[in-house]
Amino acid sequence: MKFNWGHGLLVFFILYVGIIVAVLFKSFTIDHNLVTEDYYAKDLTYQSHLDRVNNVKKSNRSLVFLEQDKQYEILFSGGSGREKGEVLAYTPLDPDLDRVFSFDRTKHPDVIIPIDKLHSGRWVLKVSWEDEGKDFFDQKEVYIDQP
């Protein structure tokens, strides 16, 4: 039997349908998580987030992230030492892996984030705090490599 244009068309059609089925199968197995479930409500309050970021710039305050002994220590420069807030350890990998660490520097002056509670990968440490009646926000992207 000779290979003619009809056979070529049949092979092309079978490959085309096979690729479409494979793409459909792959698209149904991917987890399409949103970054946040209530994104619309967060979008409405985004101006307050920008105000917190600008408060850091206006007041000449900054955060210093030190990695040492399997932990991150967050140092506050230009603050009163009475900061209260939280650190959101966010990973785009899976929302179930996100962690929140609260701090109150009036009780414990050191803000420590233990690395062993976080999985390997890219993390964004989002720090929100209040000091002297003003709200502040800063963040740092880190990569954690657990053995």
Side-chain angles (χ1 to χ4, degrees), residues 9-93:
L9 191 59
L10 180 65
V11 168
F12 172 77
F13 182 71
I14 290 172
L15 285 174
Y16 178 75
V17 169
I19 289 172
I20 295 297
V21 168
V23 168
L24 281 173
F25 178 75
K26 182 69 174 170
S27 69
F28 282 116
T29 59
I30 293 176
D31 187 17
H32 297 285
N33 285 332
L34 295 174
V35 173
T36 180
E37 290 296 323
D38 54 347
Y39 64 92
Y40 185 72
K42 287 196 177 199
D43 189 40
L44 292 176
T45 61
Y46 193 69
Q47 184 60 44
S48 66
H49 171 74
L50 290 176
D51 292 341
R52 292 184 296 162
V53 171
N54 288 332
N55 283 342
V56 173
K57 294 176 184 175
K58 288 178 188 174
S59 64
N60 292 327
R61 297 176 190 222
S62 64
L63 298 179
V64 178
F65 294 82
L66 297 176
E67 182 181 0
Q68 56 189 6
D69 299 328
K70 299 216 177 230
Q71 64 186 14
Y72 273 99
E73 182 176 2
I74 301 174
L75 304 175
F76 292 79
S77 66
S80 67
R82 296 184 301 271
E83 294 88 356
K84 296 178 186 176
E86 66 181 22
V87 179
L88 169 64
Y90 161 78
T91 180
L93 181 64

Side-chain angles (χ1 to χ4, degrees), residues 78-110:
S80 67
R82 296 184 301 271
E83 294 88 356
K84 296 178 186 176
E86 66 181 22
V87 179
L88 169 64
Y90 161 78
T91 180
L93 181 64
D94 184 5
D96 295 332
L97 297 177
D98 295 350
R99 299 284 181 259
V100 176
F101 303 95
S102 297
F103 64 89
D104 184 353
R105 293 196 59 216
T106 58
K107 297 177 182 175
H108 302 289
D110 298 329

